Amino acid sequence: METLRSIAECRQWRLDNNQATVVLVPTMGALHAGHLALIRKAQEEGDAVMVSIFVNPIQFDDPSDFDDYPLTLDEDLITCAQAGVAAVFVPQREEIYPNGYCTFTEVVGPLTDKLCGGARPGHFRGVATVVLKLLNIIQPQVAVFGEKDLQQVLIIQRMVADLHLPVRLSVGPTVREADGLPLSSRNARLSQESRAKAAALPRGLDKANAAFRDGQSLSMSLVELVYEELLVHPGVEVDYADVVRLADFSEASTAQAGDLLAVAAFVDGVRLIDHILLGGPGLSPSKEG
Ligand code: PAF
């Protein structure tokens, strides 16, 4: 496995591999079984998988969240090598955002205004900007993103279509713990006690989904079920819980099958997100990882 630390090295690797179908898995490191599922998906999509590891400062609306983001580069490189990754791109912040940098990419409208976009101003502008940079630098034929960050996936799909980018996007599965909690690099920041509270996110979503299946279609009532499940735990603060139409993120006061019910909550200060598609299967644990 090659570890590429500059854009020049990365471009040279791309030239050396110009016969290969290069598949990019962009990450911010702190790799876990969820990332491994994305790497496996990438290996099905092509023959040279590149993982990028870059904690992108401009997608953090809260500086302390950036400062606390887990950094585990040495372990991540071992994980990638063991998983059969061809190359890891670990760019330096100064090269991605040199002094005087002032160009950003922004998908506008409800897709970025709602849910995490509403709660974290500038977050998706930061994501779209860095993803466009990575796609330009690496020029993969395919890029794999995790379904766990569904809003991010939809925004990147929009950007790729709107800017006619020559890349195909592939979406990898969410990997869940036995109690339904989706794997996330942020879970590493949860104490044992907070970890137990965090399972209220998927539980609340499952309860709302069960109520929807039983005929409750008032979005406000579904959202209340999520709040009820979360707010019994001291130290849990709901950032948002909302039902939107998946196609255009418009408000859905009366829920329909296929609508997105999404939640973000701070569990003892750690921000976690989860979602469910109403009427779909529950958030039972995945067999991955
Ligand atoms: O999902 C992530 O880890 C990040 O948002 C991404 C796509 C790597 C961009 O920094």
Side-chain angles (χ1 to χ4, degrees), residues 1-14 16-17 31 49-54 72-82 85-92 95:
M1 185 182 83
E2 287 190 55
T3 303
L4 312 164
R5 294 187 186 268
S6 68
I7 294 174
E9 281 175 24
C10 193
R11 287 203 195 282
Q12 187 55 53
W13 179 89
R14 187 66 186 85
D16 296 343
N17 287 274
L31 302 182
V49 172
M50 176 183 284
V51 171
S52 62
I53 298 180
F54 179 63
T72 57
L73 184 58
D74 292 345
E75 291 94 318
D76 291 347
L77 292 177
I78 294 169
T79 301
C80 286
Q82 287 173 346
V85 167
V88 180
F89 179 40
V90 193
Q92 298 304 305
E95 205 180 11

Side-chain angles (χ1 to χ4, degrees), residues 149-273:
D149 298 309
L150 184 60
Q151 189 174 8
Q152 168 172 283
V153 169
L154 297 170
I155 287 168
I156 293 168
Q157 282 173 344
R158 188 74 252 171
M159 175 183 79
V160 165
D162 289 353
L163 298 182
H164 317 285
L165 301 179
V167 64
R168 183 167 65 74
L169 299 180
S170 169
V171 181
T174 303
V175 180
R176 293 180 181 275
E177 305 266 19
D179 58 6
L181 185 72
L183 295 195
S184 160
S185 304
R186 289 165 186 267
N187 296 357
R189 286 166 50 198
L190 296 169
S191 68
Q192 214 177 340
E193 199 191 335
S194 317
R195 170 64 192 76
K197 297 179 196 174
L201 274 89
R203 215 167 37 235
L205 293 172
D206 269 341
K207 280 199 175 159
N209 194 30
F212 174 76
R213 285 159 166 278
D214 287 346
Q216 177 57 270
S217 61
L218 208 57
S219 294
M220 208 190 280
S221 303
L222 300 174
V223 162
E224 264 170 31
L225 288 170
V226 178
Y227 269 83
E228 271 169 30
E229 191 64 39
L230 284 160
L231 293 183
V232 290
H233 302 286
V236 176
E237 204 184 301
V238 179
D239 198 9
Y240 68 75
D242 205 359
V243 180
V244 294
R245 298 267 184 270
L246 188 58
D248 57 4
F249 270 41
S250 57
E251 268 325 311
S253 49
T254 305
Q256 294 174 2
D259 281 350
L260 171 67
L261 169 55
V263 60
F266 290 93
V267 177
D268 296 327
V270 180
R271 190 175 185 279
L272 302 174
I273 59 170

Side-chain angles (χ1 to χ4, degrees), residues 119-130:
R120 301 180 68 190
H123 168 65
F124 286 120
R125 178 170 105 140
V127 170
T129 300
V130 81

Side-chain angles (χ1 to χ4, degrees), residues 26-28 56 59 127 130-131 145 149 152:
T27 80
M28 298 206 296
N56 175 32
Q59 72 185 71
V127 170
V130 81
V131 170
F145 293 87
D149 298 309
Q152 168 172 283

Side-chain angles (χ1 to χ4, degrees), residues 8-85:
E9 281 175 24
C10 193
R11 287 203 195 282
Q12 187 55 53
W13 179 89
R14 187 66 186 85
L15 282 175
D16 296 343
N17 287 274
N18 65 358
Q19 300 302 318
T21 300
V22 172
V23 187
L24 171 67
V25 182
T27 80
M28 298 206 296
L31 302 182
H32 50 66
H35 294 109
L36 286 175
L38 300 184
I39 291 170
R40 283 199 293 276
K41 175 98 182 154
Q43 285 164 337
E44 288 162 17
E45 300 278 5
D47 33 35
V49 172
M50 176 183 284
V51 171
S52 62
I53 298 180
F54 179 63
V55 185
N56 175 32
I58 69 162
Q59 72 185 71
F60 288 82
D61 51 311
D62 171 1
S64 69
D65 195 20
F66 174 70
D67 293 341
D68 292 346
Y69 204 82
L71 298 175
T72 57
L73 184 58
D74 292 345
E75 291 94 318
D76 291 347
L77 292 177
I78 294 169
T79 301
C80 286
Q82 287 173 346
V85 167

